[in-house]
Amino acid sequence: MPAVPDEPLPLLAEIAVDVPGHDAFTWRVPEALAADASPGACVTVPFGPRTVRGFIIAMERKMPEGALADKLKDVLSVRPQVRVPPHLLRLIRWGARYYRCSVGEFLAGAVPAAVREGKVIKVERRLTKAHTEDRRTEGDAGSASPVLSVAMTKRQCEVLAALPDGPLTWVEAMERGACTRDILKKLVAAGALRELVEDADVMEVRLEAGAERHAHTAEQQIAIDAVVAPLEAGRHEAFLLYGVTGSGKTLVYLDLAERVIASGKQVLFLLPEIGLTPQLAARVRARITRTVVWHSGFTDGERAELWRQVAAGEVDLVLGTRSALFAPLPAPGLIIVDEEHEHSYKQESVPRYHARDAAVVYAKQLAIPVILGSATPSLESVHNAKPADGSQPRYRVLTLKNRPLGGALPTPTVVDMRREFSAGGKRTELSRALVDGLVATVQRREQAIILLNRRGWSPVVTCVTCGVTAQCGSCDISLTFHRGQGLLKCHYCGHERGMPNACPACGGNLTTTGMGTEQLEQLVRQTVPGCRTLRADADTTGGRQGHAKLLQAFANGEADILVGTQMVAKGLDFARVTLVGVLHADRCLSAPDFRAAERTYQLVAQVSGRAGRGARPGTVVVQAFDPEALPIACAVQGRPKRFYDAELALRAEYGYPPSSGLVRVMWSSPDEPSVRAAAETDGQRIIDVSGPLGAVVLGPTPAALAWLKGQHRWHLLIKAPSRGAAQHLLDQLGPLKRHGGVVTAIDVDPATTG
């Protein structure tokens, strides 16, 4: 008798599930599913009384041991079309450990829910006539004929002749051609009709841009050659591309991207915000056709379709915000992080990763170059570009000091608003210098941008009789008045209510204090005769493709002056903008955050760089009550080294990053006594562990916003000697105790401490 083959050992899979408080567990993979199961695959598994989705992170054929043998359950299904590539899975596993969450939580944040749930894009399929050539066919001497793959019947020719030019739905085509769907399908197969599919890529509002292929400056060529060396050698190197605004960083990116794509690999190009994608996407697509945009503005179905396209290798370049870091590119060859200094690269919810830092780790794992670009680098990147203890710096600096196409940097004017008020005898928001500049700009048919980093009409509404201020019931925040909508809004939790006619407390009259972009836009219209304005803030750029539509209108010359919040401060390139105004430039210096000075410097320097990018010279007017403040003075005078040296020394003196590792622990609950008790209990344990390791603990204390979104909040800061020391401390600390009704969050490398 033939020998009976041995039964194979059970196939056991370690699977990460997105279940709070849990990470990876083991399930058995049935032999019927084994062919589709591999690390990175999305699966459905039983979890208690319900089923959940998860991802396989490891597999092995072996006999289950101990208690596991009796409790092991089977995987229910495998979705082979949803698979996290091995190199991306390795990054996610690193991120889960570094940022202190479970692998399942990180995977849930990295893979869109629509992908995990198997959603598909709702496409609109249309038909259009194929291109024709001027030749006549036998039996149809009166019309031009398409280039066909097969001969058409007389009936098919009649149907084709009855269809008008331009796209038609299938139903419209059947009605106009008085035919069945089968005949239309045969015309498509013959090449007489083409089927158009409007997918996620086509649905974008696109700005027009020509392919930029200027001769490289010497600085640009040096930068390109420096990155080409590790590209060709197949090794990792991190570069800080430090270039003034308008210095041609994007041209460097695109030249290198084309080289990578020509070698058969793909490019990941990160941006900090959705608002920056439309204009840059136009420039990228002008040279790299197979480019897709990846951000949170798409529908669920579109996200699923983008994942499919990228995973299938149908894309050469992914351009997107921080979540694009997890696009399933089959073979990334270069990572670009533009505007690397932006704090919006930091995710504020689980998983609390920083896309810039994770991108550097990813590139190192892949053995490929990474470029961090900025005109105002973060202090972390400046620190990493300096030699430490005689060793080589972590980042190699490439510098672009000149504007090859946009001429000189704009001429700065700093206005001391204290003097402006005393000279005018009354409070004014627009200085004489800015008003004169706006009038002259409009008369020359040029354009201007004005930055005021506060939206709405007025940030404070107060009763003149009893002094009560309109407050949010769920946050320690005053409500902002939005006049156009007649609403009071909280910009933190989203609460809104109608603006009352009188004080709800005493019936007295209400007055507004302070100015937002809505009020500023009206003031500009009143002050500058005949000007046309557009406003760019969260109220005007909402909705599908809101940013792109507004920027397209400004690019088309439909407005003379663009008023906006910080979204107008970076990444925009309009050749006709010759004047930039900055209002309340020193406002955020008083924020309870160790990064306040850095952000002030970056904001002023970035928005100033929007002026004079074309052939005409530019001017920037900066209004401040403390114009001598170092961040403002250095930004307008173009003295970055002075600012960075002073701020790095100050951070080192007080033990803040980049000279230390920072961890923030936050406790939140609707019940204030519970959150306080949890913070004090955990806080004492953290203090006990931190002391012997040389770390300093601040707190626990109520957070700066101690009541937010209906939650009482306490926090604590751990200042460790380094990032590595912070990780060692967290390892020693282990999981924090669970407190009923209290949410505990660990934020590694927090973007803010306010």
Side-chain angles (χ1 to χ4, degrees):
M1 295 180 61
V4 178
D6 294 335
E7 288 290 327
L9 291 173
L11 181 59
L12 306 186
E14 185 182 357
I15 298 172
V17 293
D18 179 23
V19 177
H22 299 279
D23 197 356
F25 298 90
T26 301
W27 279 267
R28 181 173 46 236
V29 180
E31 290 302 318
L33 302 178
D36 291 329
S38 63
C42 183
V43 297
T44 303
V45 294
F47 194 87
R50 58 196 174 107
T51 60
V52 298
R53 292 200 188 280
F55 287 85
I56 299 174
I57 57 176
M59 296 175 60
E60 184 179 1
R61 285 195 178 274
K62 66 177 183 178
M63 293 299 298
E65 300 175 355
L68 187 64
D70 299 327
K71 297 181 179 180
L72 211 57
K73 295 183 179 180
D74 285 350
V75 171
L76 300 177
S77 64
V78 180
R79 298 190 60 230
Q81 68 273 32
V82 182
R83 192 179 304 275
V84 177
H87 50 272
L88 184 54
L89 186 60
R90 184 167 67 245
L91 172 69
I92 289 169
R93 297 190 72 173
W94 169 87
R97 185 185 183 283
Y98 185 85
Y99 293 105
R100 302 292 156 166
C101 67
S102 71
V103 177
E105 288 174 312
F106 211 114
L107 278 161
V111 182
V115 175
R116 302 194 305 272
E117 295 164 7
K119 291 191 176 180
V120 295
I121 186 172
K122 294 180 180 179
V123 296
E124 179 70 24
R125 297 181 182 273
R126 295 174 179 265
L127 297 172
T128 186
K129 285 185 176 180
H131 294 297
T132 59
E133 61 181 9
D134 290 328
R135 63 183 178 87
R136 300 178 187 274
T137 58
E138 186 178 357
D140 186 21
S143 64
S145 170
V147 180
L148 304 177
S149 59
V150 296
M152 291 198 303
T153 66
K154 181 179 180 181
R155 174 59 180 146
Q156 290 170 345
C157 291
E158 291 173 347
V159 170
L160 185 62
L163 299 180
D165 291 330
L168 297 167
T169 66
W170 282 80
V171 173
E172 290 170 339
M174 286 188 288
E175 291 176 350
R176 299 293 287 270
C179 65
T180 64
R181 184 179 290 266
D182 285 341
I183 289 181
L184 295 177
K185 287 182 178 179
K186 290 176 181 177
L187 287 171
V188 171
L193 293 178
R194 289 188 299 116
E195 186 179 35
L196 307 177
V197 180
E198 294 184 359
D199 60 15
D201 199 40
V202 177
M203 290 178 195
E204 296 173 36
V205 174
R206 298 194 179 186
L207 304 182
E208 294 299 323
E212 300 168 274
R213 294 189 181 276
H214 309 291
H216 298 139
T217 65
E219 291 178 328
Q220 289 172 330
Q221 192 60 55
I222 290 172
I224 291 169
D225 292 343
V227 182
V228 165
L231 275 177
E232 293 181 344
R235 60 179 170 83
H236 167 70
E237 191 166 354
F239 296 91
L240 175 60
L241 184 58
Y242 185 5
V244 300
T245 54
S247 59
K249 293 187 290 293
T250 302
L251 294 177
V252 173
Y253 299 151
L254 293 181
D255 188 274
L256 290 166
E258 285 184 325
R259 292 170 185 251
V260 171
I261 293 165
S263 72
K265 294 189 175 183
Q266 303 93 40
V267 177
L268 178 60
F269 194 148
L270 299 183
L271 293 172
E273 295 178 9
I274 294 176
L276 301 181
T277 57
Q279 197 174 47
L280 184 55
R283 298 177 67 185
V284 174
R285 282 199 181 98
R287 288 180 60 171
I288 301 171
T289 305
R290 297 206 318 168
T291 293
V292 296
V293 171
W294 182 297
H295 56 61
S296 61
F298 292 124
T299 66
D300 285 349
E302 289 167 353
R303 289 193 193 99
E305 173 62 11
L306 281 173
W307 180 279
R308 184 202 64 76
Q309 289 180 3
V310 174
E314 299 173 8
V315 172
D316 293 323
L317 187 147
V318 172
L319 176 71
T321 51
R322 61 175 179 262
S323 62
L325 178 67
F326 308 111
L329 289 167
L334 174 67
I335 300 176
I336 300 164
V337 185
D338 198 24
E339 308 291 356
E340 63 82 26
H341 63 278
E342 280 293 331
H343 63 88
S344 53
Y345 277 123
K346 183 71 162 72
Q347 172 89 358
E348 296 301 329
S349 58
V350 177
R352 294 179 173 84
Y353 66 94
H354 197 299
R356 176 201 61 212
D357 298 346
V360 175
V361 172
Y362 195 20
K364 188 174 183 179
Q365 292 177 344
L366 293 166
I368 64 172
V370 59
I371 307 173
L372 313 180
S374 179
T376 55
S378 64
L379 262 75
E380 283 80 2
S381 292
V382 172
H383 176 76
N384 286 334
K386 292 178 177 291
D389 301 325
S391 61
Q392 290 293 319
R394 294 186 180 93
Y395 299 166
R396 179 179 172 186
V397 179
L398 306 173
T399 306
L400 302 179
K401 298 179 179 179
N402 302 296
R403 281 183 163 183
L405 302 176
L409 291 170
T411 303
T413 298
V414 183
V415 179
D416 187 337
M417 294 304 289
R418 296 168 298 187
R419 296 181 181 178
E420 195 80 11
F421 284 172
S422 60
K426 63 178 182 178
R427 183 178 179 86
T428 178
E429 296 291 344
L430 298 176
S431 65
R432 189 71 259 165
L434 182 54
V435 171
D436 291 345
L438 290 171
V439 171
T441 299
V442 173
Q443 288 176 346
R444 294 194 302 265
R445 297 185 179 181
E446 297 169 354
Q447 291 179 306
I449 293 176
I450 306 177
L451 167 71
L452 174 61
N453 202 21
R454 175 176 280 169
R455 63 188 175 101
W457 180 269
S458 176
V460 180
V461 177
T462 307
C463 175
V464 298
T465 303
C466 68
V468 170
T469 297
Q471 291 280 127
C472 176
S474 301
C475 308
D476 280 334
I477 293 295
S478 60
L479 295 173
T480 298
F481 177 41
H482 290 250
R483 186 176 180 181
Q485 299 166 299
L487 294 174
L488 293 170
K489 294 185 177 183
C490 175
H491 292 169
Y492 282 83
C493 72
H495 167 76
E496 59 184 45
R497 62 174 182 257
M499 175 72 166
N501 296 321
C503 174
C506 72
N509 293 327
L510 298 174
T511 185
T512 60
T513 305
M515 174 180 284
T517 50
E518 187 181 5
Q519 186 179 167
L520 175 60
E521 183 183 24
Q522 185 182 98
L523 178 61
V524 168
R525 288 176 177 172
Q526 294 170 347
T527 307
V528 184
C531 75
R532 301 166 301 157
T533 64
L534 282 172
R535 175 162 51 93
D537 56 32
D539 298 321
T540 61
T541 58
R544 186 165 180 80
Q545 305 298 333
H547 288 91
K549 293 174 183 176
L550 189 141
L551 295 179
Q552 181 69 76
F554 192 61
N556 291 342
E558 297 176 24
D560 308 300
I561 301 171
L562 177 63
V563 174
T565 55
Q566 62 178 349
M567 64 176 64
V568 305
K570 53 227 172 188
L572 303 182
D573 192 345
F574 298 104
R576 291 180 55 216
V577 172
T578 57
L579 173 65
V580 166
V582 186
L583 274 58
H584 297 285
D586 51 347
R587 171 176 284 150
C588 76
L589 285 176
S590 58
D593 189 347
F594 74 96
R595 298 187 195 273
E598 179 184 8
R599 288 178 177 164
T600 298
Y601 168 79
Q602 290 165 343
L603 190 63
V604 174
Q606 285 284 339
V607 75
S608 299
R610 300 311 111 201
R613 298 173 73 94
R616 303 167 185 175
T619 302
V620 57
V621 177
V622 178
Q623 299 181 180
F625 288 90
D626 185 11
E628 294 86 12
L630 186 66
I632 295 174
C634 290
V636 297
Q637 295 168 10
R639 301 181 67 182
K641 187 177 186 302
R642 182 187 176 201
F643 171 75
Y644 286 118
D645 287 347
E647 188 65 13
L648 284 170
L650 199 63
R651 297 273 187 91
E653 180 181 354
Y654 289 98
Y656 281 104
S659 60
S660 68
L662 193 66
V663 178
R664 188 187 194 193
V665 183
M666 177 76 74
W667 298 267
S668 58
S669 169
D671 181 64
E672 200 278 336
S674 296
V675 74
R676 177 173 184 167
E680 290 177 344
T681 300
D682 289 345
Q684 186 58 55
R685 183 178 164 214
I686 293 170
I687 291 170
D688 293 342
V689 172
S690 299
L693 298 177
V696 175
V697 177
L698 303 180
T701 60
L705 289 174
W707 174 243
L708 186 69
K709 300 180 182 179
Q711 300 283 314
H712 293 280
R713 308 193 316 155
W714 278 58
H715 73 157
L716 171 150
L717 292 178
I718 304 171
K719 297 195 291 186
S722 66
R723 284 186 171 187
Q727 288 293 314
H728 178 62
L729 189 154
L730 292 172
D731 288 339
Q732 296 297 309
L733 183 64
L736 291 174
K737 180 182 177 182
R738 293 188 186 179
H739 304 274
V742 178
V743 175
T744 305
I746 296 178
D747 190 359
V748 179
D749 304 333
T752 179
T753 55

